[in-house]
């Protein structure tokens, strides 16, 4: 068992997060959000706020400095009078204290010329369009064979539409930046998933050289995708600090996060699947409609897992977007896979019911021997092993397939299963390994540990490669002055960072053959060429999720009694943190299934339930018997560790497993998340 | 100048982790902000500032409370324990040790609140306070998993470390019993 290297700091309160760096003479920022859903700022009454004691500055489009080259509208803070969605930042007040800044922001009068916003996602929206690509670079549409015709003449057909609501990442640490200008440039203590990427982007925004920006982020209080790129808080803090000539810190208040720091788009997904009477798929059509904002396009890759999961000679996937007057959606844990697999795996359950084939057997029957769309071999694919292992452990064999067959007093009890998948990405990275004169080692890479356990995992990887004791390996991450690294995103950290660490350590060992020089020895590695030279394979992790639920027949309350995830994700490097990652993802999946929903205000724009009292995430009482295990998987086509990423797969399929269990318990198929008493009661 | 906009300050005394502080606080300041911004005790976290997440949980006169909901000026003379005060020097408290051993955290941001909350909660159980899931109100509550989950539900963890948290609280409760036996 390997505990987290920063454990002690985290349980004693010594671990510093972005807001907590002691800097002299710090001032505080509080931001003001647009109170109209669309329109223009007509006037900002800065003077009366500037007159308040302790207020240092008010910045808005009226006086904000021109930014050099913001990569997108979300970072072009206060550069125009346009309001693109309700809740967009329109001004910031800087004060001597938090209380003063907040009071100033509360009192700032902003006048608008308001227009009525268009905020309703619908499949018949006249402005639906096909994006050039979906996140990050997948084609929007794919097609093989004659899907429409094949569907039409299939023996068994399922034609259903699933919807998922907007959901918010809600990391416990709000998006936070402490910005300090000095003679050399700008230092940012930032809550980010990628110090190198913040460094690059913020340098560009302020017209600086990359080396003039330093980003420090050793501890980050979660992100789940929402800190994968700089959000407005970074620009606001830096701009404010420059304006007042003092360090400034800004943590986005929880309520403001809902509009300004990203969320998962709502989706409307029509599925048509055609199969023979034994459940063998003949045609799969997955057509997705989702939203983006008018500020910046984000196209969630919702149908991409359908391209990978099951064989079917005739197939089609498509994504259509509409740019609404809404906050800008972004990455949230397993973008694409999470909503897409919820729908696909629910549809597979419907097909199982329609054909009378056991849901596990149905998936086994449709297991492809190659990637069904691109024809590449899988580097490894152990979905079937996960399903079988899970069935054994969960007690699937005793399940009566008839819905609503098990009742215990007021409780209807059911069991569901769903598959899970996530790509095994890997990107080029750099790292250095240094042998210190005292015989210890230091590994440096601008990686991030947002709670994943990356720091510990990289240390384990380094110790193994160096054949050193873990206690003799120090890992420095979370600082842009370290060798450049990719963001903690796409579950790619262990693969991408780990490979750079392995190569640096290998090179160091080779050089150390000549003995350790008195001043120590440092070598560096860059994996750009290695990543480019990878053979063509379809690389994905797979898993199987099992859920047992009880549904109160009178109140419609659903509780997850037991949940088990079985995953095949290559070699698991640190079982302790891996299990926590899987279970953490599954826990978020319970939230997705049963409670998480951001409700759009159709009249005025922005999300209505913008705090943790109204946007419900799972609490301790919601998570009972949840466990995760994995099957042995040896895959030589991945990376030197043989590891696939595990940060996201835990949420994928979790909501479908719960939904399928609800159907099994009640006979009611809910096709719209979350599954709440309000949707269930009328149908029980 | 409108009076309502001029900050009003008040002198108070706080005892934090055994140390006395005489402070002149803005009457609008929360205890959480005074701890973090004035005293530099940044272990207590701010997740919502509205009493909805528990990240700011501290012990005020021995009882767990949300520091973000407590106005500092209203706590003149209070005895406060924060996460920085749980260990005895280098010696971690049983609940801190159990959190490490059970991997009861990931990002660590909710953790100080969880730790203070668990510390206060174990005391509540020791004093025989029931919870909403306690079946028998006549006798001392038995700290089973359901009791732990219920009593820890004021502390959200978005990383989803609850499985570890419940295991850690259970372990700490057992350690405590063993120490008392
Ligand atoms: S910060 Fe106090 S309860 Fe969330
Ligand atoms: S450990 Fe990250 S929120 Fe609990």
């Amino acid at each position: 068992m390997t505990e987290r290297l920063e454990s002690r700091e985290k349980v004693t309160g010594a671990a510093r997060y972005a807001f907590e760096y002691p800097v002299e003479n710090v001032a505080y920022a509080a931001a003001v959000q647009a109170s109209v859903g669309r329109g223009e700022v007509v006037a900002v009454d800065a003077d009366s706020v500037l007159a308040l004691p302790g207020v240092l500055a008010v910045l808005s489009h009226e006086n904000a400095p021109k930014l050099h080259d913001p990569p997108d509208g979300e970072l072009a803070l206060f550069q125009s009078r346009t309001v693109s969605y309700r809740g967009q930042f329109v001004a910031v007040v800087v004060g001597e204290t938090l209380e003063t800044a907040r009071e100033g922001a509360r009192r700032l009068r902003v006048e608008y010329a308001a227009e009525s916003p268009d905020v309703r996602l619908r499949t018949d929206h006249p402005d639906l369009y096909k994006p050039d690509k979906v996140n990050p670079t997948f084609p929007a549409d794919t097609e093989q064979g004659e899907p429409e015709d094949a569907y039409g003449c299939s023996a068994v057909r399922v034609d259903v539409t699933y919807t998922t609501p907007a959901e918010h990442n809600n990391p416990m640490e709000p998006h936070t930046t402490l910005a300090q200008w000095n003679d050399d440039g700008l230092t940012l203590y930032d809550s980010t998933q990628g110090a190198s990427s913040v460094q690059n982007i913020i340098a560009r925004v302020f017209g600086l050289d990359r080396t003039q920006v330093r980003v420090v982020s050793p501890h980050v209080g979660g992100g789940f995708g929402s800190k994968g790129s700089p959000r407005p808080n970074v620009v606001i803090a830096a701009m404010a600090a420059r304006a007042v000539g003092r360090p400034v810190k800004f943590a986005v208040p929880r309520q403001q996060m809902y509009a300004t720091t990203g969320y998962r788009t709502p989706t409307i997904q029509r599925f048509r699947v055609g199969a023979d009477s034994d459940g063998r798929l003949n045609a799969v059509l997955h057509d997705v409609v989702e939203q983006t904002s008018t500020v910046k396009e984000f196209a969630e890759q919702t149908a991409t897992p359908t391209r990978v999961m099951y064989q079917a000679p005739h197939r089609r996937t498509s994504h259509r977007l509409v740019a609404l007057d809404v906050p800008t959606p972004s990455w949230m844990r397993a973008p694409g896979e999470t909503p897409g697999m919820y729908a696909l795996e629910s549809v597979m359950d419907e097909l199982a019911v329609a054909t009378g084939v056991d849901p596990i057997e149905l998936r086994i029957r449709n297991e492809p021997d190659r990637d069904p769309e691109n024809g590449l071999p899988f580097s490894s694919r152990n979905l079937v092993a996960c399903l079988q292992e899970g069935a054994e452990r969960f007690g699937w064999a005793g399940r009566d397939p008839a819905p609503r067959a098990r009742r215990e007093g007021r409780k209807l009890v059911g069991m569901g299963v769903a598959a899970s998948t996530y790509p095994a990405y890997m990107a080029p990275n750099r790292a250095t390994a240094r042998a210190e004169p005292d015989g210890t080692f230091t590994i440096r890479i601008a990686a991030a540990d947002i709670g994943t356990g990356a720091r510990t995992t990289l240390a384990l990887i380094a110790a193994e490669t160096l054949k050193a004791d873990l206690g003799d390996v120090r890992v420095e991450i979370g600082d842009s002055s370290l060798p450049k690294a990719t963001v903690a995103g796409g579950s790619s950290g262990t693969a991408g960072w780990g490979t750079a660490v392995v190569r640096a350590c290998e090179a160091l060992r080779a050089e150390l053959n000549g003995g350790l020089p008195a001043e120590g020895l440092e070598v560096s590695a860059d994996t750009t060429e290695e990543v480019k030279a990878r053979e063509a394979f379809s690389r994905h992790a797979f898993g199987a999720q099992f859920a047992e639920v009880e549904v109160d027949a009178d109140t419609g309350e659903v509780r997850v009694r037991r949940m088990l995830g079985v995953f095949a994700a290559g070699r698991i490097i640190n079982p302790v943190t891996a299990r926590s990652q899987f279970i953490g993802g599954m826990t978020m999946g319970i939230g997705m299934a049963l409670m998480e929903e951001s409700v759009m205000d159709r009249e005025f724009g922005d999300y209505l339930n913008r705090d943790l009292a109204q946007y419900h995430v799972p609490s301790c009482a919601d998570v009972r018997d949840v466990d995760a295990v994995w099957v042995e998987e040896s895959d030589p086509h991945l990376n030197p560790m043989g590891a696939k990423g595990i940060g996201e797969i835990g949420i994928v399929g979790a909501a479908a497993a719960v939904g399928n269990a609800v159907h099994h318990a009640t006979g009611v198929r809910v096709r719209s998340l979350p599954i709440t008493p309000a949707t269930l009661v009328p149908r029980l | 100048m409108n009076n309502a906009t001029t900050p009003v300050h008040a002198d108070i005394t706080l005892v934090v982790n055994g140390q006395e502080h005489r402070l002149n606080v803005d009457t609008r300041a929360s205890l959480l902000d005074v701890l973090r911004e004035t005293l530099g005790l940044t272990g207590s976290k701010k997740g919502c500032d509205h009493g909805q997440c528990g990240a700011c949980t501290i012990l005020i006169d021995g009882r767990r409370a949300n520091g973000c909901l407590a106005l500092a000026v209203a706590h003149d003379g209070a005895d406060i324990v924060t996460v920085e005060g749980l260990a005895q020097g280098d010696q971690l408290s049983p609940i801190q040790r159990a959190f490490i051993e059970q991997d009861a955290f990931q990002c660590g941001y909710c953790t100080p609140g969880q730790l203070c909350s668990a510390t206060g909660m174990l005391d509540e159980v020791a004093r025989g306070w029931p919870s909403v899931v306690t079946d028998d109100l006549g006798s001392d509550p038995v700290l089973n998993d359901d009791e732990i989950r219920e009593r820890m539900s004021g502390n959200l963890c978005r990383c989803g470390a609850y499985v570890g948290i419940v295991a850690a609280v259970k372990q700490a409760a057992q350690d405590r019993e063993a120490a008392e036996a």
Side-chain angles (χ1 to χ4, degrees):
Chain A
M1 114 140 219
T2 306
E3 65 191 36
R4 288 163 205 270
L5 297 179
E6 72 285 0
S7 282
R8 200 178 174 91
E9 288 95 311
K10 283 184 174 169
V11 300
T12 56
R16 281 190 200 282
Y17 298 78
F19 206 77
E20 300 166 357
Y21 282 81
V23 297
E24 291 286 304
N25 206 24
V26 74
Y28 296 80
V32 178
Q33 295 179 284
S35 60
V36 301
R38 172 191 167 119
E40 287 197 337
V41 177
V42 175
V44 177
D45 179 16
D47 290 345
S48 59
V49 168
L50 282 167
L52 301 176
V55 170
L56 302 170
V58 177
L59 295 170
S60 70
H61 78 279
E62 291 186 350
N63 63 340
K66 185 144 177 33
L67 294 170
H68 185 74
D69 181 22
D72 62 63
E74 279 294 319
L75 295 183
L77 272 295
F78 318 141
Q79 301 297 292
S80 88
R81 48 173 79 245
T82 307
V83 173
S84 302
Y85 55 86
R86 182 158 177 241
Q88 190 174 24
F89 286 136
V90 293
V92 61
V93 176
V94 190
E96 291 281 356
T97 66
L98 202 47
E99 292 78 25
T100 301
R102 206 158 46 196
E103 173 84 357
R106 192 174 67 80
R107 285 172 176 269
L108 187 69
R109 280 199 309 274
V110 181
E111 263 179 59
Y112 302 90
E115 296 163 35
S116 87
D118 176 6
V119 297
R120 198 156 70 84
L121 177 65
R122 49 198 169 94
T123 52
D124 59 353
H125 198 291
D127 297 337
L128 283 176
Y129 70 97
K130 175 183 161 186
D132 290 339
K133 57 183 170 48
V134 294
N135 178 63
T137 53
F138 293 109
D141 295 1
T142 58
E143 181 162 326
Q144 278 157 338
E146 306 285 336
E148 298 269 359
D149 293 350
Y151 171 75
C153 54
S154 293
V156 182
R157 282 175 288 177
V158 177
D159 178 352
V160 286
T161 297
Y162 277 78
T163 65
T164 60
E167 294 153 358
H168 278 78
N169 311 54
N170 272 310
M172 290 315 302
E173 182 200 20
H175 294 66
T176 302
T177 309
L178 194 174
Q180 184 167 31
W181 292 86
N182 46 43
D183 295 343
D184 305 333
L186 176 64
T187 301
L188 299 164
Y189 301 90
D190 193 34
S191 181
T192 178
Q193 295 175 222
S196 301
S197 106
V198 173
Q199 177 192 38
N200 271 336
I201 293 169
I202 296 304
R204 182 173 152 192
V205 170
F206 287 94
L208 302 167
D209 189 73
R210 200 172 64 83
T211 55
Q212 291 174 285
V213 178
R214 173 151 179 228
V215 180
V216 182
S217 54
H219 300 292
V220 179
F224 315 109
S226 71
K227 297 172 182 171
S229 61
R231 302 292 143 117
N233 51 291
V234 192
V235 178
I236 286 181
M239 188 189 269
R242 188 177 248 180
V244 300
R246 289 167 60 170
V248 168
K249 50 186 182 178
F250 177 48
V252 181
R254 178 68 51 183
Q255 292 80 357
Q256 296 188 350
M257 286 170 65
Y258 288 75
T260 64
T261 63
Y263 64 96
R264 191 195 303 285
T265 175
T267 70
I268 303 169
Q269 306 179 49
R270 181 173 182 202
F271 254 109
R272 280 171 288 168
V273 298
D276 66 18
S277 54
D278 294 331
R280 285 196 175 74
L281 290 165
N282 182 36
V284 175
L285 296 90
H286 187 183
D287 297 304
V288 181
V289 170
E290 48 200 16
Q291 74 189 29
T292 185
S293 74
T294 61
V295 177
K296 175 183 179 180
E297 178 181 277
F298 179 79
E300 178 131 350
Q301 69 271 39
T302 302
T304 55
T306 302
R307 299 172 184 171
V308 177
M309 282 304 294
Y310 301 112
Q311 68 76 29
H314 305 280
R315 40 204 310 135
R316 181 175 92 200
T317 60
S318 74
H319 298 83
R320 294 295 175 268
L321 288 189
V322 56
L324 299 171
D325 303 317
V326 295
T328 303
S330 179
W331 305 299
M332 176 165 162
R333 204 169 201 166
E337 273 71 19
T338 298
M341 285 292 278
Y342 159 65
L344 174 60
E345 291 301 298
S346 303
V347 170
M348 288 300 278
D349 203 64
E350 297 209 45
L351 184 63
V353 172
T355 54
V357 178
D358 175 77
I360 292 178
E361 172 58 25
L362 180 76
R363 288 171 172 86
I364 294 172
R365 278 184 198 173
N366 287 294
E367 178 74 358
D369 53 9
R370 299 186 148 241
D371 187 303
E373 280 212 9
N374 63 25
L376 290 172
F378 286 105
S379 65
S380 57
R381 176 170 168 130
N382 284 299
L383 171 58
V384 172
C386 293
L387 288 163
Q388 288 169 340
E389 172 84 17
E392 179 72 31
R393 288 176 180 255
F394 207 66
W396 186 262
R399 173 184 180 265
D400 178 346
R404 218 182 166 108
R406 190 170 153 201
R407 188 171 182 136
E408 297 170 9
R410 271 170 49 178
K411 310 290 188 202
L412 304 167
V413 181
M415 249 191 232
V417 66
S420 180
T421 188
Y422 196 79
Y425 294 118
M426 174 164 153
N429 277 277
R430 294 183 200 162
T432 60
R434 185 180 159 77
E436 307 288 355
D438 64 1
T440 63
F441 299 94
T442 307
I443 307 301
R444 293 191 171 90
I445 178 166
D449 191 334
I450 58 171
T452 55
R455 185 181 277 107
T456 312
T457 303
L458 293 177
L460 285 166
I461 290 169
E464 182 178 313
T465 315
L466 292 164
K467 308 206 185 318
D469 284 346
L470 184 64
D472 288 337
V473 177
R474 194 164 32 254
V475 172
E476 292 182 12
I477 59 170
D479 190 326
S480 66
S481 66
L482 300 167
K484 192 171 168 201
T486 46
V487 295
S491 296
S492 69
T494 299
W497 306 330
T499 301
V501 168
V502 166
R503 297 307 176 216
C505 291
E506 285 172 349
L508 180 63
R509 258 172 69 83
E511 288 205 26
L512 278 175
N513 268 338
L516 176 63
E519 69 283 6
L521 182 65
E522 178 169 311
V523 298
S524 58
D526 182 332
T527 60
T528 308
E529 293 308 316
E530 179 172 355
V531 172
K532 252 194 240 154
R534 292 219 298 174
E535 288 168 87
F537 276 103
S538 182
R539 296 177 175 87
H540 302 265
F542 291 90
Q545 307 249 16
F546 293 79
E548 182 176 273
V549 303
E550 59 181 44
V551 182
D552 188 301
D554 298 326
T555 68
E557 184 189 12
V558 181
R559 303 216 58 195
V560 176
R561 278 188 176 178
R562 297 192 287 143
M563 198 162 174
L564 173 70
V566 183
F567 300 96
R571 191 178 142 222
I572 298 300
I573 292 168
N574 186 358
V576 175
T577 51
R579 177 168 177 267
S580 294
Q581 280 285 87
F582 288 133
I583 292 177
M586 293 165 69
T587 299
M588 207 178 262
I590 292 175
M592 176 182 178
L594 300 179
M595 57 198 89
E596 294 189 37
E597 175 177 26
S598 306
V599 180
M600 174 55 64
D601 183 332
R602 287 194 182 175
E603 194 75 25
F604 299 107
D606 197 4
Y607 290 101
L608 279 166
N609 49 335
R610 46 185 183 269
D611 63 32
L612 292 169
Q614 300 174 89
Y615 183 96
H616 290 176
V617 303
S619 73
C620 200
D622 295 313
V623 179
R624 299 202 271 180
D625 180 359
V626 176
D627 204 357
V629 296
W630 43 91
V631 297
E632 289 291 318
E633 184 175 80
S634 155
D635 183 336
H637 309 297
L638 295 170
N639 48 58
M641 295 79 58
K644 297 174 180 175
I646 55 172
E648 291 164 273
I649 193 169
I651 191 176
V652 180
V658 173
N660 295 341
V662 168
H663 175 265
H664 184 234
T666 62
V668 176
R669 182 70 66 181
V670 180
R671 298 195 183 90
S672 162
L673 289 183
I675 303 167
T676 63
T679 47
L680 272 182
V681 165
R683 299 172 62 188
L684 278 178
Chain B
M1 179 61 52
N2 173 354
N3 280 340
T5 62
T6 309
V8 178
H9 286 78
D11 291 325
I12 63 167
T13 303
L14 296 177
V15 179
V16 184
N17 302 327
Q19 200 185 326
E20 187 176 291
H21 300 271
R22 291 172 189 283
L23 299 162
N24 182 251
V25 297
D26 188 316
T27 51
R28 298 167 298 184
S30 68
L31 212 40
L32 177 65
D33 285 334
V34 168
L35 290 169
R36 283 168 59 85
E37 303 306 313
T38 310
L39 297 178
L41 291 169
T42 52
S44 306
K45 302 304 180 205
K46 185 184 285 187
C48 70
D49 219 11
H50 275 61
Q52 298 168 346
C53 76
C56 62
T57 306
I58 53 178
L59 299 170
I60 305 178
D61 297 325
R63 290 181 58 176
R64 49 184 175 155
N66 289 333
C68 71
L69 289 187
L71 282 172
V73 69
H75 288 82
D76 186 16
D79 189 353
I80 290 162
V81 175
T82 69
V83 69
E84 289 95 339
L86 295 181
Q88 304 288 328
D90 272 355
Q91 193 65 30
L92 297 180
S93 75
I95 186 73
Q96 288 172 307
R97 274 202 309 278
F99 262 58
I100 294 178
E101 282 163 23
Q102 300 293 342
D103 203 39
F105 54 87
Q106 298 185 45
C107 77
Y109 199 77
C110 73
T111 312
Q114 305 278 2
L115 290 164
C116 289
S117 189
T119 304
M121 182 272 266
L122 291 176
D123 267 348
E124 291 161 19
V125 174
R127 272 182 259 145
W129 295 8
S131 82
V132 73
V133 299
T134 307
D135 286 333
D136 178 5
L137 297 182
S139 58
D140 281 346
V142 179
L143 195 63
N144 56 28
D145 288 2
D146 280 341
E147 283 277 4
I148 296 174
R149 289 188 195 107
E150 171 61 29
R151 290 167 189 262
M152 290 301 292
S153 279
N155 292 83
L156 298 178
C157 174
R158 189 54 160 164
C159 293
Y162 299 124
V163 171
I165 290 168
V166 172
V169 172
K170 201 150 95 177
Q171 178 183 325
Q174 281 160 0
D175 289 355
R176 186 176 161 132
E177 260 173 42
E180 281 163 8

